[in-house]
């Protein structure tokens, strides 16, 4: 990895991007170093991209998909001089490998499927070098589409918020989780750009603190009023009447609207229902998995126990303690007031409305089940 230190702060978050031509590399902000350091790393092989996704250097469903698409581009670089069979064998190997990095966000599989489809469409028509160029063009297209989808999500979502409201969000669904503008945070950014004043409460988001390290940082960078709270304070903050709306992102939305997002989102949705507060999910259509009927089928990532016992380098639990560390949970559709996507507002959240607004999934089928690491499944019991 090449480290490129940057000392300036950012208003516009340039989460990741491709540097150079077909022989270039993926450059991304190392989100594990924020908020104290803004450092970019260059990924020049598939292993570095896999590690960056696995370790959450790049994270958030849409950003993972974009990183994986560029990951295919770096992964096939050493096969452009091969014959066609050699090139395709390498491409399949890279796609299968990157698909093992994280299991929950469907954008990863959606993006890899798009990359595969583009290469297959060019097979027999272009040389391996020509196909590598087509793959890079497709990755850039996925990146650009995400940029546009986030702006549209912001536009649709901002209309749901009123001037002066208190709003709560969980984890980070901002520019850092997408091409550059976010999903849940896009709603806040667009509302602020249209002249509305918001008071955002950011859950810190145990155990990896995406809310404290990333959301609080992003909102502060953009001059939006933000107050950081521990996850366990959300109920009290709602009871005190400080929050009128909740908006979160999503990692995978089933055909019936059940939504996987960062662990703790389900609790926030239950709290919002108990306090009669609307709970919105903001996500692009690339986050819908219409191939699965309900949240029961969503694979839930289980992560290293040390993230809980030794978070950020300090031991905070006794040696040898048993730990359970699911990284996501599933909020049942019945708790979601509406889903905000780039095509508009989905309300009520049910199979019919989702089919009407989202229609056929953008890339057709997402991924064969056997490619996924399935440790445990979510869903309404
Ligand atoms: O584990 P992470 O940080 O990748 O989890 C991210 C989330 O849960 C986000 O809320 C989600 O991906 C939406 S990103 C626009």
């Amino acid at each position: 990895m090449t480290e490129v230190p940057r000392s300036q702060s950012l208003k516009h978050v340039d989460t990741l991007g491709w540097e150079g031509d077909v022989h270039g590399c993926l450059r991304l902000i190392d989100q594990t170093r924020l908020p104290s350091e803004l450092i970019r790393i260059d990924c020049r092989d598939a292993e570095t991209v896999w590690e960056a996704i696995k370790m959450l250097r790049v994270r958030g469903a849409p950003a993972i998909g974009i990183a994986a698409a560029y990951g295919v581009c770096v992964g096939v670089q050493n096969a452009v001089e091969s014959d066609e069979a050699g090139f395709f064998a390498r491409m399949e190997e890279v796609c299968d490998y990157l698909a093992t990095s994280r299991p929950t966000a469907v954008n990863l599989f959606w993006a890899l499927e798009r990359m595969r489809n583009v290469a297959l469409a060019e097979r027999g028509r272009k040389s391996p070098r020509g196909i590598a160029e087509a793959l890079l063009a497709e990755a850039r297209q996925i990146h650009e589409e995400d940029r546009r989808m986030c702006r549209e999500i912001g536009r649709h979502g901002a209309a749901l918020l009123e001037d002066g409201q208190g709003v709560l969000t969980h984890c980070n669904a901002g520019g850092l989780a997408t091409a550059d503008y976010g999903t849940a945070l896009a709603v806040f950014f667009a509302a602020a750009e249209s002249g509305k004043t918001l008071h955002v409460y950011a859950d810190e988001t145990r155990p990896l603190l995406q809310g404290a390290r990333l959301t609080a940082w992003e909102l502060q960078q953009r001059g939006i009023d933000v107050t950081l709270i521990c996850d366990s304070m959300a109920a009290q903050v709602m009871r005190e009447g400080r929050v009128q709306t909740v908006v979160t992102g999503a990692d995978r939305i089933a055909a019936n609207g059940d939504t996987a997002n960062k662990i703790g989102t389900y609790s926030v949705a239950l709290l919002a229902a108990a306090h009669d507060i609307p709970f919105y999910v903001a996500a692009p259509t690339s986050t819908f998995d219409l191939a699965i009927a309900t949240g029961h089928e969503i694979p839930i990532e289980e992560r290293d126990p040390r993230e809980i016992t030794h978070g950020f380098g300090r031991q905070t639990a006794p040696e040898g303690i048993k730990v359970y560390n699911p990284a996501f949970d599933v909020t049942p559709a019945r708790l979601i007031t509406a889903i905000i996507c780039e095509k508009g507002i989905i309300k009520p959240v049910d199979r019919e409305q989702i089919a009407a607004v989202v229609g056929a999934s953008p890339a057709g089928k997402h991924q064969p089940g056997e490619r996924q690491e399935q440790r445990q499944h979510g869903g309404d019991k």
Side-chain angles (χ1 to χ4, degrees):
M1 277 188 204
T2 313
E3 292 199 355
V4 185
R6 301 271 168 101
S7 55
Q8 85 279 15
S9 68
L10 298 178
K11 284 256 185 292
H12 167 82
V13 176
D14 214 357
T15 308
L16 74 176
W18 185 262
E19 293 292 313
D21 63 8
V22 75
H23 304 291
C25 68
L26 167 62
R27 179 168 292 175
L28 50 86
I29 293 176
D30 182 349
Q31 298 185 34
T32 64
R33 308 285 283 266
L34 284 170
S36 51
E37 290 173 295
L38 183 56
I39 300 229
R40 289 184 172 78
I41 53 176
D42 287 351
C43 305
R44 298 184 182 280
D45 53 50
E47 289 72 21
T48 309
V49 177
W50 187 95
E51 194 270 352
I53 295 173
K54 181 79 185 171
M55 300 314 292
L56 277 56
R57 300 185 197 288
V58 59
R59 32 73 45 209
I64 291 172
I66 300 164
Y70 286 131
V72 175
C73 301
V74 293
V76 299
Q77 279 170 339
N78 59 9
V80 289
E81 303 303 337
S82 313
D83 59 13
E84 188 184 271
F87 180 85
F88 273 88
R90 174 62 186 156
M91 188 203 66
E92 290 295 342
E93 181 185 44
V94 171
C95 287
D96 287 349
Y97 170 62
L98 290 173
T100 65
S101 55
R102 295 190 76 189
T104 302
V106 78
N107 307 60
L108 172 71
F109 309 100
W110 169 85
L112 291 172
E113 188 76 1
R114 274 184 64 160
M115 297 298 278
R116 264 199 190 95
N117 288 343
V118 158
L120 288 171
E122 301 295 354
R123 189 166 194 165
R125 291 162 27 112
K126 287 187 172 162
S127 65
R129 181 171 297 276
I131 297 172
E133 279 161 7
L135 283 169
L136 178 55
E138 184 68 1
R140 288 192 199 275
Q141 177 72 17
I142 289 170
H143 193 173
E144 188 49 39
E145 282 173 22
D146 188 66
R147 214 184 288 280
R148 286 202 296 267
M149 289 191 289
C150 289
R151 298 279 161 177
E152 287 303 297
I153 288 169
R155 194 170 65 80
H156 292 302
L160 299 169
L161 303 184
E162 284 166 31
D163 186 32
Q165 276 191 332
V167 294
L168 184 140
T169 191
H170 190 74
C171 193
N172 173 267
L176 288 166
T178 61
D180 72 353
Y181 195 62
T183 56
L185 296 199
V187 173
F188 304 160
F189 296 150
E193 283 160 20
S194 73
K196 292 175 184 168
T197 300
L198 300 175
H199 308 287
V200 182
Y201 288 87
D203 279 352
E204 66 177 353
T205 316
R206 284 276 295 151
L208 295 180
L209 307 186
Q210 288 92 332
R213 294 186 301 104
L214 309 177
T215 297
W217 179 79
E218 266 195 59
L219 291 168
Q220 198 180 56
Q221 294 283 318
R222 289 195 188 241
I224 293 179
D225 179 68
V226 55
T227 302
L228 180 63
I229 57 170
C230 300
D231 300 346
S232 50
M233 295 168 187
Q236 180 64 14
V237 166
M238 288 182 187
R239 193 166 183 218
E240 289 172 7
R242 294 171 187 266
V243 171
Q244 284 71 49
T245 303
V246 175
V247 189
T248 74
D251 283 81
R252 192 185 295 226
I253 303 173
N256 73 339
D258 290 350
T259 295
N261 193 50
K262 178 52 54 194
I263 190 75
T265 304
Y266 177 29
S267 321
V268 175
L270 287 167
L271 293 177
H275 292 87
D276 238 348
I277 294 170
F279 179 91
Y280 296 111
V281 167
T285 49
S286 52
T287 301
F288 286 77
D289 186 352
L290 302 184
I292 61 169
T294 73
H296 290 290
E297 296 171 62
I298 300 177
I300 301 292
E301 178 181 16
E302 204 178 318
R303 293 187 62 87
D304 190 338
R306 288 181 66 85
E307 290 178 353
I308 293 178
T309 58
H310 293 72
F312 305 97
R314 179 161 176 261
Q315 183 169 346
T316 53
E319 207 60 52
I321 195 75
K322 278 198 290 185
V323 170
Y324 177 48
N325 186 17
F328 297 92
D329 57 27
V330 175
T331 299
R334 65 182 160 77
L335 292 176
I336 303 171
T337 310
I339 299 177
I340 307 157
C341 74
E342 79 278 9
K343 294 184 174 179
I345 306 292
I346 301 172
K347 187 178 178 181
V349 178
D350 60 25
R351 193 177 314 278
E352 291 69 32
Q353 275 305 307
I354 289 174
V357 176
V358 178
S361 62
K365 82 177 169 53
H366 293 304
Q367 83 282 12
E370 68 268 18
R371 284 218 175 86
Q372 294 206 35
E373 182 193 350
Q374 303 208 0
R375 295 209 184 136
Q376 170 208 344
H377 293 77
D380 207 2
K381 302 288 173 209

